[in-house]
């Protein structure tokens, strides 16, 4: 006797899985025609993080390409970060506390090749989006949106790709491969910002990994103690992060000094 319900269920299960496998193979191996401009964007910002050409095509379709003339602000300190930006042409300058912040800036010529953390300033608003996405995944939706901690303006004529949080969320939910690749791209930019902010551009001696990781934990990646590097011209001065461990050692030394009666 043939158990038709079991046969039908097994055939349906096999057909669904075969369709899913076909879709995955198409996404990973499909040939997608690109212009030279699109190919440059793909290679520089997405390919190294595992984004396939087919996924890149979907990412580009959901993005808005916005020209930003020289001198125009992309974001201002204290404004809500409701969009995610990727600077694909031109140079930007980020400012915090009235000082130039190279870690959150991008240069269309050097593209971060002289920075230990790479071109970390190309992505703008990735921390706010990841915070928004994580909160939604945890069922902790809030009407409050993260606010920018610095100001970024166009140093030259720029072109940016822009996604609203809801558009990027839809991309992240389209497949696990897309979510993993985009998460890698954004977290790479975040780590690059931390490295570029931590390492002093005026010193040849680089801090060890344990030092800047301790700084990251103590500052939670959001605020840093900024110190002007003396002995350099104003436009060459940089920032360095004073390690928490160094502060503790200084406090211990002060406590061990003999007190005057």
């Amino acid at each position: 006797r043939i158990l038709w319900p079991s046969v039908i269920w097994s055939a349906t299960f096999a057909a669904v899985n075969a369709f899913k496998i076909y879709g995955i193979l198409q996404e990973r191996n499909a040939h997608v025609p690109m212009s030279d401009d699109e190919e440059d964007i793909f290679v520089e910002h997405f390919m190294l993080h595992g984004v396939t050409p087919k996924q890149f095509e979907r990412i580009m379709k959901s993005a808005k390409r916005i020209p930003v003339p020289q001198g125009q602000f992309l974001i201002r300190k204290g404004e809500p970060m409701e969009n995610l930006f990727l600077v694909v042409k031109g140079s930007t300058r980020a400012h915090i506390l009235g000082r130039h912040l190279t870690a959150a800036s991008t240069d269309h010529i050097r593209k971060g090749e002289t920075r230990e953390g790479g071109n970390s300033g190309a992505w703008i608003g990735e921390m706010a989006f990841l915070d928004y996405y994580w909160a939604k995944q945890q069922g902790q939706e809030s009407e409050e949106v993260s606010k920018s901690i610095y100001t970024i303006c166009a140093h030259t004529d720029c072109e940016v790709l822009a996604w609203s949080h809801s558009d990027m969320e839809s991309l992240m939910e389209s497949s696990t491969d897309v979510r993993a690749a985009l998460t890698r791209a954004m977290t790479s930019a975040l780590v690059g910002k931390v490295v570029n902010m931590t390492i002093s551009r005026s010193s040849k001696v680089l801090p060890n990994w344990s030092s800047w990781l301790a700084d990251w934990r103590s500052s939670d990646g959001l605020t840093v103690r900024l110190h002007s590097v003396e002995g350099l011209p104003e436009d060459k001065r940089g920032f360095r992060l004073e390690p928490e461990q160094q502060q503790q050692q200084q406090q211990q030394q002060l406590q061990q000094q003999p007190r005057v009666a």
Side-chain angles (χ1 to χ4, degrees), residues 106-125:
T106 183
D107 189 320
H108 72 291
I109 298 176
R110 291 180 296 177
K111 296 183 179 180
E113 62 188 18
T114 59
R115 304 177 195 167
E116 287 77 1
N119 190 20
S120 56
W123 286 93
I124 301 174

Side-chain angles (χ1 to χ4, degrees), residues 44 70 90 100 116 124 135 184 189 191 205 213 232 234 259:
E44 182 179 354
Q70 181 180 4
H100 177 211
E116 287 77 1
I124 301 174
R184 283 193 294 269
V191 172
V205 181
L213 281 175
L232 292 176
E234 183 69 22
R259 297 184 179 180

Side-chain angles (χ1 to χ4, degrees), residues 165-184:
H165 282 184
S166 58
D167 287 341
M168 182 56 71
E169 181 184 4
S170 298
L171 280 172
M172 300 278 276
E173 294 296 321
S174 62
S175 78
T176 55
D177 284 349
V178 173
R179 179 167 63 249
L182 286 174
T183 300
R184 283 193 294 269

Side-chain angles (χ1 to χ4, degrees), residues 182-203:
L182 286 174
T183 300
R184 283 193 294 269
M186 287 184 244
T187 53
S188 175
L190 280 174
V191 172
K193 284 183 172 72
V194 175
V195 173
N196 286 331
M197 289 180 69
T198 303
I199 296 176
S200 172
R201 302 302 300 164
S202 65
S203 175

Side-chain angles (χ1 to χ4, degrees), residues 100-174:
H100 177 211
L101 186 62
T102 57
S105 305
T106 183
D107 189 320
H108 72 291
I109 298 176
R110 291 180 296 177
K111 296 183 179 180
E113 62 188 18
T114 59
R115 304 177 195 167
E116 287 77 1
N119 190 20
S120 56
W123 286 93
I124 301 174
E126 73 282 1
M127 182 185 295
F129 170 74
L130 290 174
D131 183 57
Y132 158 87
Y133 185 70
W134 180 86
K136 291 204 70 174
Q137 292 294 303
Q138 301 298 316
Q140 302 175 3
E141 296 187 39
S142 173
E143 294 183 358
E144 295 185 3
V145 181
S146 298
K147 296 182 179 180
S148 175
I149 59 175
Y150 40 68
T151 296
I152 299 179
C153 68
H155 189 54
T156 64
D157 290 340
C158 296
E159 184 176 331
V160 302
L161 301 179
W163 300 266
S164 67
H165 282 184
S166 58
D167 287 341
M168 182 56 71
E169 181 184 4
S170 298
L171 280 172
M172 300 278 276
E173 294 296 321
S174 62

Side-chain angles (χ1 to χ4, degrees), residues 1-252:
R1 181 182 177 183
I2 301 177
L3 300 176
W4 289 108
S6 298
V7 172
I8 294 172
W9 169 253
S10 298
T12 303
F13 182 78
V16 170
N17 280 275
F19 179 76
K20 289 289 187 182
I21 292 172
Y22 174 77
I24 292 173
L25 292 176
Q26 280 291 101
E27 186 175 83
R28 293 183 178 179
N29 302 317
H31 173 71
V32 177
M34 299 183 193
S35 65
D36 292 341
D37 182 41
E38 289 174 336
E39 187 174 350
D40 289 341
I41 296 172
F42 173 68
V43 171
E44 182 179 354
H45 300 289
F46 294 99
M47 186 177 71
L48 294 177
H49 304 293
V51 176
T52 67
K54 192 67 176 178
Q55 294 168 352
F56 176 71
E57 181 183 45
R58 194 185 312 163
I59 292 169
M60 291 296 290
K61 283 182 178 179
S62 68
K64 296 179 181 178
R65 300 190 74 149
I66 303 174
V68 183
Q70 181 180 4
Q72 181 172 317
F73 290 94
L74 280 79
I75 57 171
R76 293 177 183 267
K77 184 179 182 297
E79 289 184 346
M81 298 290 294
E82 298 176 337
N83 295 287
L84 177 66
F85 301 102
L86 177 62
V87 182
V88 294
K89 287 184 180 179
S91 302
T92 63
R93 289 178 69 91
H95 299 270
I96 184 171
L97 303 177
R99 302 298 300 272
H100 177 211
L101 186 62
T102 57
S105 305
T106 183
D107 189 320
H108 72 291
I109 298 176
R110 291 180 296 177
K111 296 183 179 180
E113 62 188 18
T114 59
R115 304 177 195 167
E116 287 77 1
N119 190 20
S120 56
W123 286 93
I124 301 174
E126 73 282 1
M127 182 185 295
F129 170 74
L130 290 174
D131 183 57
Y132 158 87
Y133 185 70
W134 180 86
K136 291 204 70 174
Q137 292 294 303
Q138 301 298 316
Q140 302 175 3
E141 296 187 39
S142 173
E143 294 183 358
E144 295 185 3
V145 181
S146 298
K147 296 182 179 180
S148 175
I149 59 175
Y150 40 68
T151 296
I152 299 179
C153 68
H155 189 54
T156 64
D157 290 340
C158 296
E159 184 176 331
V160 302
L161 301 179
W163 300 266
S164 67
H165 282 184
S166 58
D167 287 341
M168 182 56 71
E169 181 184 4
S170 298
L171 280 172
M172 300 278 276
E173 294 296 321
S174 62
S175 78
T176 55
D177 284 349
V178 173
R179 179 167 63 249
L182 286 174
T183 300
R184 283 193 294 269
M186 287 184 244
T187 53
S188 175
L190 280 174
V191 172
K193 284 183 172 72
V194 175
V195 173
N196 286 331
M197 289 180 69
T198 303
I199 296 176
S200 172
R201 302 302 300 164
S202 65
S203 175
K204 298 297 183 181
V205 181
L206 303 182
N208 57 41
W209 287 94
S210 59
S211 297
W212 75 260
L213 281 175
D215 295 335
W216 169 255
R217 287 194 297 268
S218 64
S219 64
D220 201 25
L222 294 177
T223 57
V224 294
R225 286 175 293 279
L226 298 176
H227 293 263
S228 175
V229 180
E230 301 297 334
L232 292 176
E234 183 69 22
D235 60 341
K236 297 293 185 180
R237 294 187 182 182
F239 301 105
R240 63 182 176 84
L241 196 66
E242 184 177 354
E244 190 71 20
Q245 184 178 7
Q246 182 179 348
Q247 285 189 2
Q248 294 175 355
Q249 291 177 353
Q250 291 175 350
Q251 292 177 358
Q252 291 175 358

